[in-house]
Amino acid sequence: MKNYSIEIKWAIRFTLLTLAWAIGEKFTGLHDEYIADYALYTNLFGLPALLFFVLALKEKKKYFFNGTMTWTQGFVSGVILSFIIALFTPITQYVIYISITPHFFDNIIAYKLKSGYMTVEVAQQYFNLQTYMLQTSFSNLSMGIITGALVSLFIKTKK
């Protein structure tokens, strides 16, 4: 467990970042009044997420690998970090959509129907807590692995 303490710490921080981001979206109106802009602005979360991966892998390099880290070591650390984040994701999604913004799914479904983007059945199948928990878990895992691989290229020890 000690070998993964840095990844666990950063996964917890990432989870808190995700909750803070959702609160920010809620208070700026992206979950209701400006829901039409939600898809655009929620994708900006990738920037702080990338920063968290860089900081996590730099910390792993400095304190666990004593300043020398191969790409493989960084990649494995990124995969572990991504896996832990993916495990925390259903809880995070539950907190967001039950406590922070309980009307989000109703609002996004209404917007999609009003805009003519989807039928009621499709919108209800796509926009619900269970689907978001699964979708976000797999998205966090896959994007995290890709991000870990790319970040490791830049922070590996140069020979």
Side-chain angles (χ1 to χ4, degrees):
M1 204 57 149
K2 186 178 187 305
N3 291 345
Y4 306 116
S5 62
I6 292 171
E7 289 88 350
I8 292 167
K9 175 177 70 175
W10 280 96
I12 291 168
R13 288 177 175 176
F14 189 94
T15 299
L16 295 173
L17 171 68
T18 303
L19 293 171
W21 189 270
I23 291 168
E25 286 181 345
K26 168 70 175 162
F27 285 109
T28 58
L30 289 173
H31 292 185
D32 42 50
E33 184 180 356
Y34 302 112
I35 202 153
D37 298 322
Y38 171 75
L40 172 67
Y41 289 107
T42 199
N43 286 324
L44 292 176
F45 180 77
L47 297 173
L50 174 64
L51 176 63
F52 270 54
F53 265 79
V54 169
L55 295 172
L57 293 182
K58 279 187 165 189
E59 183 174 326
K60 187 74 172 191
K61 177 181 179 179
K62 183 176 180 180
Y63 293 108
F64 188 81
F65 294 115
N66 298 315
T68 303
M69 185 171 75
T70 66
W71 177 85
T72 303
Q73 290 169 324
F75 176 68
V76 168
S77 181
V79 168
I80 293 166
L81 175 60
S82 301
F83 184 75
I84 297 167
I85 289 169
L87 287 177
F88 289 162
T89 296
I91 297 164
T92 307
Q93 295 298 297
Y94 183 84
V95 170
I96 291 169
Y97 297 112
I98 297 300
S99 298
I100 296 171
T101 183
H103 301 293
F104 174 78
F105 294 119
D106 294 334
N107 293 339
I108 193 82
I109 288 170
Y111 167 71
K112 294 295 183 179
L113 294 176
K114 180 180 156 191
S115 302
Y117 290 127
M118 297 180 173
T119 64
V120 174
E121 297 80 22
V122 172
Q124 288 174 339
Q125 286 177 342
Y126 189 81
F127 297 109
N128 63 69
L129 183 59
Q130 183 179 358
T131 300
Y132 262 46
M133 284 179 170
L134 285 171
Q135 190 180 66
T136 310
S137 293
F138 287 115
S139 176
N140 283 346
L141 181 60
S142 60
M143 291 305 294
I145 290 170
I146 293 167
T147 302
L150 293 174
V151 169
S152 295
L153 282 173
F154 292 100
I155 67 167
K156 69 179 181 175
T157 302
K158 313 293 186 260
K159 292 183 183 183

